[in-house]
Amino acid sequence: DFTEMMRALGYPRLISMENFHTPNFMLVSEVLLWLVKRYEPQADIPPDVDTEQDRVFFIKAVAQFMATKAHIKLNTKKLYQADGYAVKELLKITSVLYGAMNTKGVERADLSEEDSSKFKFDLGSKIADLKAARQLASEITSKGATLYDLLGKEVELREARTESIARPLEINEAEKMMKVAIDCVLEEVQKTKDMLNNVALDEANLEAKIEKRKLELERSQKRLQTLQSVRPAFMDEYEKIEEQLQKQYSIYLEKFRNLTYMEQLLDDHRRTEQEMFEETANMLRLMQSRLKEEEQHLLKSGNNDGSDVEIQEDERSDSEVEDRRIMKQRTAPETLLQG
């Protein structure tokens, strides 16, 4: 059926079902593009199907076009398979076009290949008519619903209508009703006139307020300009105080630098004194250890008494010299501290 319909519609190539035993996406894309162009010659469908992304975009574009224009829902997965299942989806479009061709009185048997290639089926011109028909259909349904509701109330309205018709018409009551209606209309007219007058008054009041605001704005701008041009009275004193402050700040910076320099010198002096104290303590320790070693050596030697006396005298003389040297070393840091 599909091949017969395609031949009747005027497809230039011969199609057989053997072409769809294996996936043949190029043929499916060509058929889809031809059917879309046959349905809408001005349709803008990209024909690129080289990459996978282009194929997906092509299938989506065709499905969206047929859904919006012809209200034909296509299965994109089956179309992408490009096999026998895709023929069923293509048959949906071809059946619509084939049915439209038959309604216009075009017979499939009398058409040759050349005549079928020249055949053009354009639904673009009928879209406006289709939209108008849909709008009329919606209006008909809404009007029918309102008419049904009104007909449902006809039983009650019929009785009221018959009663009003059967009742004799009194001229006095009609005059009264007419007078009342005329009075209501006159009141409304007077109200509208009053409102128009009030609008004119409001407009005049607003214009007066706008002029007043403009004058106030001009006055305030002039005052601002005068204030900006006049030099304040305290500005001279302010500049003098600012100069004095700058001088005091420079003096403060100088004193601060001197103070930090003196503190650094004091730290260096204390560090040198501490090093001198440590050196003298180390020297005293060494001298004490040396004296102890000499005493032990003298005690072990076991010399005679005379030699002992001489040794003791030598030791006394040596100890006196060492004591004097130690006293000098101790007094030197004290004199430095006093200084």
Side-chain angles (χ1 to χ4, degrees):
D1 292 337
F2 175 70
T3 57
E4 293 284 334
M5 289 181 183
M6 291 297 293
R7 193 179 297 112
L9 290 172
Y11 187 67
R13 290 177 54 185
L14 293 174
I15 301 173
S16 63
M17 295 306 296
E18 294 178 359
N19 298 125
F20 298 96
H21 287 170
T22 57
N24 191 354
F25 192 85
M26 299 301 294
L27 180 59
V28 172
S29 63
E30 185 179 354
V31 171
L32 280 173
L33 188 61
W34 186 83
L35 290 172
V36 169
K37 293 292 184 182
R38 191 64 181 272
Y39 191 88
E40 180 65 39
Q42 287 81 21
D44 188 10
I45 302 296
D48 297 332
V49 290
D50 296 330
T51 62
E52 183 179 357
Q53 188 175 3
D54 294 336
R55 292 179 180 181
V56 173
F57 185 76
F58 175 80
I59 294 294
K60 285 183 178 180
V62 171
Q64 187 176 3
F65 176 81
M66 297 309 296
T68 54
K69 297 293 183 180
H71 299 282
I72 298 172
K73 187 177 181 181
L74 300 175
N75 192 341
T76 54
K77 291 183 180 179
K78 291 181 180 179
L79 286 174
Y80 192 80
Q81 288 176 3
D83 52 5
Y85 293 100
V87 176
K88 295 181 180 179
E89 303 299 321
L90 294 172
L91 193 59
K92 295 178 182 179
I93 306 171
T94 54
S95 60
V96 172
L97 295 174
Y98 185 75
M101 185 180 67
N102 287 332
T103 55
K104 292 183 75 175
V106 179
E107 296 180 358
R108 183 182 58 184
D110 298 334
L111 286 175
S112 62
E113 292 183 358
E114 294 178 358
D115 296 334
S116 63
S117 63
K118 294 178 181 179
F119 177 74
K120 292 182 179 180
F121 183 71
D122 187 9
L123 289 177
S125 61
K126 302 294 183 181
I127 292 174
D129 297 337
L130 182 62
K131 289 181 180 179
R134 286 179 182 173
Q135 187 175 359
L136 288 172
S138 62
E139 290 179 359
I140 288 167
T141 53
S142 62
K143 293 292 178 62
T146 53
L147 182 60
Y148 179 77
D149 295 335
L150 292 173
L151 289 173
K153 296 177 182 179
E154 177 63 21
V155 178
E156 299 176 357
L157 295 173
R158 188 185 299 153
E159 296 177 356
R161 187 170 60 251
T162 53
E163 288 178 359
S164 62
I165 291 170
R167 189 175 59 187
L169 183 62
E170 295 181 359
I171 296 172
N172 295 326
E173 291 182 358
E175 288 179 354
K176 288 180 182 179
M177 295 298 292
M178 292 296 291
K179 286 180 180 179
V180 171
I182 290 167
D183 292 335
C184 292
V185 172
L186 291 173
E187 286 179 359
E188 289 180 357
V189 170
Q190 189 63 33
K191 285 180 181 178
T192 53
K193 287 181 179 179
D194 294 336
M195 289 174 68
L196 289 172
N197 294 326
N198 292 328
V199 167
L201 292 173
D202 293 337
E203 188 177 358
N205 292 327
L206 288 173
E207 287 179 355
K209 288 181 180 178
I210 290 167
E211 292 294 331
K212 187 177 179 181
R213 295 292 182 185
K214 284 181 179 178
L215 293 173
E216 290 179 357
L217 179 61
E218 289 177 358
R219 259 190 257 111
S220 59
Q221 286 179 353
K222 289 179 181 178
R223 188 177 178 185
L224 178 62
Q225 289 176 0
T226 53
L227 289 173
Q228 288 177 353
S229 61
V230 174
R231 182 181 174 85
F234 58 86
M235 201 67 190
D236 297 332
E237 187 178 0
Y238 173 76
E239 290 177 353
K240 290 179 181 179
I241 293 170
E242 191 175 5
E243 290 177 359
Q244 292 177 3
L245 180 63
Q246 191 70 26
K247 291 178 181 178
Q248 293 294 330
Y249 182 70
S250 61
I251 293 168
Y252 167 75
L253 287 176
E254 186 178 358
K255 290 183 177 181
F256 183 76
R257 285 197 295 269
N258 294 331
L259 180 62
T260 52
Y261 179 69
M262 295 299 290
E263 288 178 353
Q264 187 178 359
L265 290 176
L266 181 61
D267 293 335
D268 295 338
H269 183 66
R270 287 176 179 173
R271 197 180 297 109
T272 53
E273 287 181 353
Q274 186 68 28
E275 290 176 357
M276 290 174 66
F277 279 126
E278 290 176 358
E279 287 179 359
T280 53
N282 292 328
M283 289 176 66
L284 288 172
R285 238 181 261 111
L286 290 171
M287 290 172 65
Q288 287 178 0
S289 61
R290 193 180 298 163
L291 288 171
K292 285 180 182 180
E293 289 176 358
E294 289 178 357
E295 287 178 357
Q296 290 176 2
H297 181 69
L298 291 172
L299 289 172
K300 286 179 181 179
S301 61
N303 292 328
N304 54 8
D305 295 336
S307 63
D308 292 337
V309 173
E310 290 176 357
I311 288 166
Q312 289 177 0
E313 290 178 355
D314 294 333
E315 287 177 355
R316 286 175 185 173
S317 62
D318 293 335
S319 62
E320 287 176 357
V321 172
E322 291 295 333
D323 290 336
R324 289 176 183 174
R325 191 182 301 165
I326 289 165
M327 289 299 291
K328 287 180 180 179
Q329 289 177 356
R330 287 182 179 177
T331 54
E334 291 177 356
T335 54
L336 287 171
L337 287 172
Q338 290 177 0

